[in-house]
Amino acid sequence: MSPASPSPTSQPLSQLLSRTADAVQAVREGRSLTDVLARCPAELRGGTQALSFHVLRWMGSAQAAAKLMVPKNPPPAVDALLTTGIALLWPVKDPPYPDHTLVDQAVTAARKRTPANAAFVNAVLRRFLREREALVAAAQRDPQGAFNHPPWWIERVRKDWPQQWQAVLQASNEHPPMTLRVNARHGTAEAYVARLAERGIAARVLGALAPQAVVLARAVPVTQLPGFAEGEVSVQDAAAQLAAPLVVGRNLPTEAGAPLAAGARVLDACAAPGGKTAHLLELADLDLQALDSDPTRLTRVKDTLDRIRQSAQLSAADARHPATWWDGKPFDAILLDAPCSASGIVRRHPDVRWLRRNSDIGNLVRTQSELLEALWPLLKPGGRLVYATCSLFKDEGQAQVDAFLQRHGDAKSVQHAPFTGHLLPLPENPGMAAEPAAYDGFFYALLVKT
């Protein structure tokens, strides 16, 4: 089952609602949804993930409506179940369950979770159904209720994108497509779409911006993808597929330098989970060092490289401290996919907006700056560094690069539209009008050492 599209499963809905409420409560307490789902029983994980994604996308609206009906906060476990129920009853196209079924099963879940509050849950959810139109209108007068993001996030997007802020926030609530990257060593996107058609899986080639990208009409388990286990295809958003061609030098302007020669030394500075690392090796024969500060996450990079039958030097170290991992030989190219707010990929990770705090952004900006400062001396003259973040916030993108350029006279920013700059999932992006919704929010800068 796709996490983007909740639908009935063989598991009792009351169990899924209870698990989903647990997940909502955990996110409110600061735990990531990924960690919560990892502890969910296997038979309930898919359904819980699907419902949790839906609820977290509509949690701002549900909370606003709940406050109108219940001014005094109920116990956290009850509040989480109410939020879950209201979010799933919110008027959307193709609701996951009939209203009466949802209310009945939410009350069943309440009897098992907090028996003394079952009648209260029943009363609130039935009131929401009776007064839904008026409650929805009232909830949407509150910014968080209207846009389903925290107020500080809404204000930051409004400040950064004054002409597009509402569209950007709305796009962040859309269901993302499942996008594949066809291994260039194994074939073309067109040929792979034909293979999928033979399996009854509808898909299309994305286009010239990401020539190896294939977008599925609906998400499917990777076990159904022909050649996945053999490394012939991987799951990767289209925007993330723009990084590797910038690094290896596919169709770049002259001032960005020549394409990398075979055996070129390349650093992937923050490599986990390994999607961009793999893409680099699919495009060119490189002497690649993949670095990540988390040894556990680095094992995911190795697993990915094993699956595509490629290898790299893997190092568990903090890229900000080259003395602990660098051999002194300069790199021809560096990919810095820096830690960031992940504000550009919240449609895929809807818990991120509720986990982040405004104060996090300043800390992340400092880390990004420290990484740029540490890695720039490791680059050969004439080499290029690709700085990337999956963020919509300008402080983590253009403002970060502008400050770096002011500090480094030997750095030149090469503009290569639409690949560099801030990428938003909007038709206004140059070259993306045909498929704006296929791209997550990203920022790319192409820096050349003069």
Side-chain angles (χ1 to χ4, degrees):
M1 176 173 55
S2 165
S5 305
S7 59
T9 72
S10 59
Q11 301 300 325
L13 176 56
S14 61
Q15 289 188 36
L16 295 180
L17 292 173
S18 186
R19 288 283 178 177
T20 300
D22 288 342
V24 168
Q25 186 174 345
V27 169
R28 285 174 166 175
E29 294 169 354
R31 294 169 57 197
S32 80
L33 182 59
T34 300
D35 292 343
V36 175
L37 292 173
R39 293 170 173 78
C40 188
E43 67 275 12
L44 296 173
R45 190 173 301 140
T48 301
Q49 177 174 315
L51 294 181
S52 297
F53 271 49
H54 183 100
V55 172
L56 290 170
R57 285 193 179 105
W58 294 97
M59 190 162 80
S61 297
Q63 288 177 329
K67 286 181 180 178
L68 294 169
M69 295 183 288
V70 189
K72 184 178 179 180
N73 290 337
V78 178
D79 192 32
L81 183 59
L82 280 177
T83 299
T84 297
I86 295 169
L88 291 168
L89 290 169
W90 204 259
V92 296
K93 181 181 178 182
D94 300 323
Y97 295 97
D99 292 346
H100 67 279
T101 300
L102 196 292
V103 173
D104 176 73
Q105 291 296 296
V107 174
T108 299
R111 291 194 185 106
K112 295 179 181 178
R113 289 168 61 86
T114 55
N117 293 284
F120 171 71
V121 170
N122 182 55
V124 172
L125 294 183
R126 291 191 181 280
R127 179 185 170 189
F128 178 74
L129 288 180
R130 289 195 308 271
E131 305 174 21
R132 180 158 49 187
E133 185 175 349
L135 287 167
V136 166
Q140 291 180 337
R141 286 194 283 271
D142 173 77
Q144 181 168 306
F147 294 105
N148 287 287
H149 289 75
W152 70 265
W153 188 303
I154 295 170
E155 178 57 26
R156 187 176 282 268
V157 173
R158 189 197 62 77
K159 176 176 172 290
D160 283 351
W161 306 104
Q163 303 302 318
Q164 303 150 302
W165 68 276
Q166 295 188 46
V168 167
L169 291 169
Q170 289 165 356
S172 296
N173 280 326
E174 295 297 323
H175 295 169
M178 183 173 180
T179 306
L180 312 178
R181 184 190 73 245
V182 178
N183 190 333
R185 295 179 182 268
H186 287 273
T188 66
E190 290 80 4
Y192 193 75
V193 167
R195 290 178 65 187
L196 290 173
E198 293 173 356
R199 300 281 188 96
I201 300 174
R204 65 187 184 281
V205 177
L206 182 56
L209 272 187
Q212 298 300 122
V214 168
V215 180
L216 302 185
R218 60 179 299 274
V220 301
V222 294
T223 52
Q224 294 183 18
L225 299 174
F228 179 84
E230 294 75 26
E232 297 175 21
V233 68
S234 300
V235 179
Q236 187 181 44
D237 178 75
Q241 294 186 39
L242 305 183
L246 287 173
V247 175
V248 303
R250 289 286 180 92
N251 303 315
L252 293 183
T254 304
E255 61 266 34
L260 295 180
R265 276 178 58 82
V266 175
L267 172 68
D268 187 353
C270 302
K276 298 179 183 69
T277 315
H279 196 191
L280 286 167
L281 293 169
E282 291 171 3
L283 294 181
D285 296 318
L286 305 171
D287 177 9
L288 179 63
Q289 183 172 6
L291 198 71
D292 202 88
S293 60
D294 186 338
T296 302
R297 282 170 54 83
L298 201 62
T299 61
R300 295 182 62 188
V301 180
K302 184 179 186 305
D303 291 343
T304 297
L305 296 184
D306 287 346
R307 186 175 58 82
I308 69 165
R309 276 67 167 175
Q310 294 291 333
S311 62
Q313 178 187 343
L314 305 182
S315 305
D318 189 331
R320 292 175 292 180
H321 305 295
T324 65
W325 56 267
W326 186 44
D327 62 8
K329 299 177 182 177
F331 293 98
D332 297 290
I334 296 174
L335 171 60
L336 172 54
D337 185 11
C340 71
S341 63
S343 55
I345 58 173
V346 290
R347 62 181 188 166
R348 297 185 187 279
H349 302 280
D351 57 328
V352 166
R353 73 193 80 181
W354 308 117
L355 294 171
R356 287 281 181 229
R357 299 293 179 264
N358 197 22
S359 58
D360 294 341
I361 309 305
N363 295 331
L364 288 164
V365 168
R366 281 190 290 275
T367 298
Q368 295 154 6
S369 179
E370 291 168 0
L371 285 164
L372 282 166
E373 292 297 323
L375 296 177
W376 188 248
L378 282 53
L379 187 65
K380 285 182 179 179
R384 55 180 166 266
L385 183 151
V386 173
Y387 172 77
T389 62
C390 52
S391 175
L392 300 172
F393 302 149
K394 289 189 175 181
D395 281 353
E396 299 182 280
Q398 195 59 58
Q400 179 73 264
V401 170
D402 289 345
F404 176 81
L405 292 171
Q406 289 179 1
R407 298 193 300 268
H408 292 271
D410 61 344
K412 177 176 67 174
S413 177
V414 177
Q415 302 302 311
H416 183 40
F419 299 92
T420 58
H422 284 275
L423 309 178
L424 307 177
L426 301 173
E428 290 84 353
N429 284 319
M432 294 188 183
E435 286 283 1
Y439 296 85
D440 285 344
F442 260 76
F443 174 82
Y444 285 110
L446 179 56
L447 305 173
V448 176
K449 180 175 280 191
T450 59

